[in-house]
Amino acid sequence: MAKITSRSPLAPESFPDLPVIKGVRFASVAAGVRYAGRTDVMLAHLVPGSTMAGVFTRSATRSAPVLDCQSKIGTHTGDGAAIIVNSGNSNAFTGRNGIESTRAVTSAVALAMGLPETRVFSSSTGVIGEPLPHGRITDKVEELVAALDESAISGAAQAIMTTDTFPKGAMATVDLPGGTVKIAGMAKGSGMIAPDMATMLVYIFTDAAIAAPDLQTLVSGINDKTFNCITVDSDTSTSDTLLMGATGASGVTVTAKDEAFAQALQGVMLDLAHQVVKDGEGATKFVTVNVTGAASAADARTHALSIANSPLVKTALAGEDPNWGRIVMAVGKSGAAADRDTLSIRFGDILVAENGWVSPEYQEDLGAAHMKQPEITINVDIGLGDGAATIWTCDLTHGYIAINADYRS
Amino acid sequence: MAKITSRSPLAPESFPDLPVIKGVRFASVAAGVRYAGRTDVMLAHLVPGSTMAGVFTRSATRSAPVLDCQSKIGTHTGDGAAIIVNSGNSNAFTGRNGIESTRAVTSAVALAMGLPETRVFSSSTGVIGEPLPHGRITDKVEELVAALDESAISGAAQAIMTTDTFPKGAMATVDLPGGTVKIAGMAKGSGMIAPDMATMLVYIFTDAAIAAPDLQTLVSGINDKTFNCITVDSDTSTSDTLLMGATGASGVTVTAKDEAFAQALQGVMLDLAHQVVKDGEGATKFVTVNVTGAASAADARTHALSIANSPLVKTALAGEDPNWGRIVMAVGKSGAAADRDTLSIRFGDILVAENGWVSPEYQEDLGAAHMKQPEITINVDIGLGDGAATIWTCDLTHGYIAINADYRS
C-alpha cells in the first residue's frame, strides 16, 4: 500500500465535535488485520428497542458481509444491535471462506453481547480477494466490548479508514414539537467511489424513535439525493454499506413524513458525501456539476455523470484549465439528448459558451481565475427541457495514479 | 500543449513501407494552424471513378467538418474526390463560424482541383471551441495541389498527428481471382479515445473497384469489430472520422461479399486500431480484454468495456499489479449479468480465480510476471452463457495526467 502521508487539501480543519447519541456506545482497537500501528476494528452497540435501516451496493459481485447485512436488515426485534467493522481487508470475492469469516465475527459479537446473530451487522473494507484473518478480530471482541463508551465515536471513525486522509463525521440537532433529537454520523471512503452507491461505509445514529419501515424510507430516499450523487472515479465498490440506527432514547418519535428531521438527516448525509469526495484519492478540487434544461431528470443525471466521470474533464480541472471544449465533448458522448447549438456552459457565474459558440462576453482570465479555486462549479444548461441534476466529484491527478498504481485493494 | 518528447514504448519500430495505391496522391504542408515547425495539413486526391465510404462519431456535439462529411458521403458521382485534413484545431463547437470555415476550406480545394464541392471531404483535429484560422489552410491549397505525389502517404500520416507520438500506417495485398489489389491506411489518435467510434481520424485507400454501397457495407461492418472495440480513456471525440476511398485503378472488382478482401481490410483496420491504443496518452501497456461466457454478446461487451475503462483496473496495470480483485469489481459494477461464484479470471494462460475464490493453483509470482510484459491479456469467463467480446485498451499512468492536465484540446 502506498503511504498516504498528507491530508487532503480539501479536508475540513478538524473532526467535528459530534454529540453523544444516547443509546449508542463505541469502541475501537488495533487488531492488526492488515495494518500495523493503528486501530482497524470498531464496534458500535445500540440499546434494545433500536431500529436499523440500510442501503447497500448493487454490485453483482458484492462481498460476504454485504450479503449478510442485507439478509438481516429486514428482520426487526426488540433486541439491541451491534455493528462491527474492520479495515484492511474487504472479505470480498472470498468464496465460502468469506461467508464463514463473516459468521465467525458476527457470532463472536453476538455471544459476547448477548444478542441474537440477526442483530449483529458487519462490514469489511480494504483489499479484495484475500482471506479475512477473522481470528485477529474475534480475539479482540472482549476487549472491544469492555471499552464501549458513548463518547468514543471519533475513535471509531478513525478505525474504519483505508486510503482516507482524514476521518469523516457530521451531526445535526433537530428541535421537534416533542423535544430535541440528535443525529451523528461517520463515513469512510476515498477511492472506488461511484454511485450505486459510492464506495463507502457510512454509519449514522440518532436518538429519535423511528419505526424500522419509516427509517428505511428516510434512508433510501435521502441516499438517492446524496451518496448516489457523488463520483470520484466511476468505480463501484463491492462493499458499499450505509447503516442507520435509531435508539429512541430521546423519547421523541419521528416518522418518514417529518420534514424537519428529513432535512436534518439530508444535511448530515450530504455533508458526509461531500467529505468523501473531498478525500477522493489525489483530489485537489471539489467540483459541483449542475445540469439544467435537459429533456428529463434522468437525462440531466446522465449528462452530469458523463461530465463528472470524464478523464479529460477531470484532468483539465487538475490543470486549472477552463477547458469548456471537454465539457462539450462529455455532453456529446453521454448518450442523452443534447443539441450543440442550444448548450450553454458557465463556470460559476461566468458565462463561457452559449448557442454553439464561445460567448462574446467571455474573458478567459475570469474562467482561469475560477479554476484556481479549491471549489469549482460547472453549470451546464442543455436548452431542451426542465430536467435537472447535480453531481459532486473531484479532479484526476498524479496523486490518484500514485495511490492506485501501488495500492493493492 | 504539453511537449510530447518521447515515443510510446509500445510503438512499432518504424512506419511501415506502404505500397503506392494507384489513383491516389498525397501532399502535406506546414500551414501554422496552431503548431510551429511541423506539417499540419494533408491533402489526398482520388481519381475520377473513385467511390467513398465513411463512419463518423455519434457524439451529439459533433464538429462542423463531421457534419459536412456526413452530408456528402451518400452522394456519388463519377468525379474524383479529395480529402483535406488539418491538425491543431478541431473546428468543433465553433457555431456558424465553424460551418463557414469548413466551407471555405472545401470550396478552395474544389476550385483548385476542379471538383464539385460535394466531393471534397475535410477533417479537423485538435483544440475544441476555438475558431479555425481557415485562411492559413486555404493559403496553402495551391502549394498542396502542386506537391501531390502517389508515394507521399507517410508525410500525410505525419501531418495529421496531434498528441500522437508516432505516425500510424498499415497495409495489405490481396490476391483475388481477377488480380491483385492493395490496401493502405493511416490513422491518428491517442487520447479522447472510446467507441462510437474511437477519437480518431482514419483514411484508407484501395485500388480495388468497389461500388459505393458495397464499400460502405464493408467499412461499417468491420468498424464494429475494430475501431469500435478500443478504448483509451472512455472519452469520445466530437471529430471521429473514418473515410475510405476505392479508386478502381487495379481494374479488379470487389463486392461486400468478398471474404478475402474483407479479411484483409479487417487486418488493416485492426492494425491501425491497435496502433492507436499503443499510442494511448501515457500508455505503457497494451491490454487485450477477452470476456467469454456472458449471457449475451452485448453483456460480454458491457463487461469488457467496464474492465477496460475502470480507472482502478488501469492504474493496477500501470503498476504491474496482478490485482484481480479490481477486475471482479469492474464486472460487478458493469450492470450486465454476472455471478460472483461462476466467474473465472486468467492473466494470459494463468488461472487466477475461479468459483468465487482465488484458484488453489494460482501463484502470485506468475501473475506478477505476466503483468511485467508490455502486452497483457485479461481473460474473464462469466460462466453464464455463450456471449463473447474483445476490447483493447491501455493502462492509466502519470503520463496521461501530465499530457491532459496541461494540453488544451
Side-chain angles (χ1 to χ4, degrees), chain A residues 45-335:
Chain A
H45 175 264
L46 295 93
V47 291
S50 297
T51 54
M52 299 288 297
V55 188
F56 305 93
T57 182
R58 281 181 271 188
S59 168
T61 56
R62 65 196 83 157
S63 69
V66 169
L67 292 168
D68 185 62
C69 280
Q70 286 185 295
S71 74
K72 293 172 174 174
I73 202 71
T75 64
H76 301 291
T77 74
D79 299 292
I83 302 171
I84 183 160
V85 183
N86 74 273
S87 54
N89 183 311
S90 72
N91 192 15
F93 208 61
T94 46
R96 175 173 301 280
N97 295 13
I99 299 167
E100 285 163 12
S101 290
T102 299
R103 191 167 299 149
V105 171
T106 55
S107 64
V109 172
L111 189 67
M113 309 203 74
L115 288 169
E117 277 194 45
T118 56
R119 296 295 280 173
V120 180
F121 302 89
S122 77
S123 304
S124 296
T125 177
V127 67
I128 297 178
E130 295 190 2
L132 177 69
H134 59 257
R136 296 181 196 170
I137 301 170
T138 54
D139 283 353
K140 294 286 185 179
V141 166
E142 279 191 34
E143 187 180 329
L144 282 162
V145 172
L148 284 167
D149 181 327
E150 64 179 11
S151 60
I153 189 170
S154 97
Q158 286 271 0
I160 64 174
M161 289 165 59
T162 56
T163 54
D164 304 62
T165 72
F166 62 90
K168 297 161 190 72
M171 54 84 59
T173 302
V174 199
D175 292 319
L176 297 169
T180 297
V181 299
K182 292 172 183 167
I183 305 170
M186 69 177 90
K188 68 83 41 179
S190 63
M192 210 185 276
I193 297 286
D196 293 333
M197 37 187 285
T199 302
M200 196 166 34
L201 302 180
V202 185
Y203 307 98
I204 304 173
F205 305 93
T206 179
D207 56 5
I210 313 179
D214 281 59
L215 186 62
Q216 187 64 51
T217 299
L218 281 164
V219 166
S220 297
I222 297 171
N223 183 62
D224 283 342
K225 294 182 264 185
T226 56
F227 293 111
N228 268 350
C229 294
I230 65 173
T231 180
V232 165
D233 57 8
S234 79
D235 278 339
T236 304
S237 158
T238 52
S239 303
D240 296 328
T241 296
L242 182 158
L243 290 170
M244 181 163 179
T247 66
S250 67
V252 180
T253 298
V254 162
T255 73
K257 292 185 181 161
D258 193 316
E259 272 303 313
F261 185 85
Q263 279 186 23
L265 179 57
Q266 184 166 335
V268 168
M269 287 169 69
L270 196 60
D271 187 348
L272 291 172
H274 286 184
Q275 288 187 55
V276 169
V277 172
K278 288 177 178 176
D279 206 10
E281 289 170 343
T284 68
K285 303 286 183 186
F286 177 76
V287 186
T288 303
V289 180
N290 294 313
V291 172
T292 53
S296 66
D299 271 14
R301 182 175 166 88
T302 300
H303 283 307
L305 278 171
S306 182
I307 295 166
N309 281 327
S310 160
L312 287 170
V313 171
K314 293 167 91 79
T315 47
L317 291 163
E320 301 185 334
D321 175 5
N323 193 320
W324 54 275
R326 294 186 185 174
I327 296 169
V328 174
M329 177 280 300
V331 169
K333 76 163 182 170
S334 80

Side-chain angles (χ1 to χ4, degrees), chain B residues 112-144:
Chain B
M113 310 204 74
L115 289 168
E117 277 194 44
T118 56
R119 295 295 279 173
V120 180
F121 301 90
S122 77
S123 303
S124 295
T125 177
V127 67
I128 297 178
E130 294 191 2
L132 177 68
H134 58 258
R136 296 180 197 172
I137 302 171
T138 55
D139 284 352
K140 295 286 185 178
V141 166
E142 278 191 34
E143 187 180 329
L144 282 162

Side-chain angles (χ1 to χ4, degrees), chain A residues 235 310 326 333 398 407, chain B residues 93 235 310 326 333 398 407:
Chain A
D235 278 339
S310 160
R326 294 186 185 174
K333 76 163 182 170
H398 285 288
Y407 176 53
Chain B
F93 209 60
D235 277 339
S310 159
R326 293 186 186 175
K333 78 163 180 168
H398 285 290
Y407 177 52

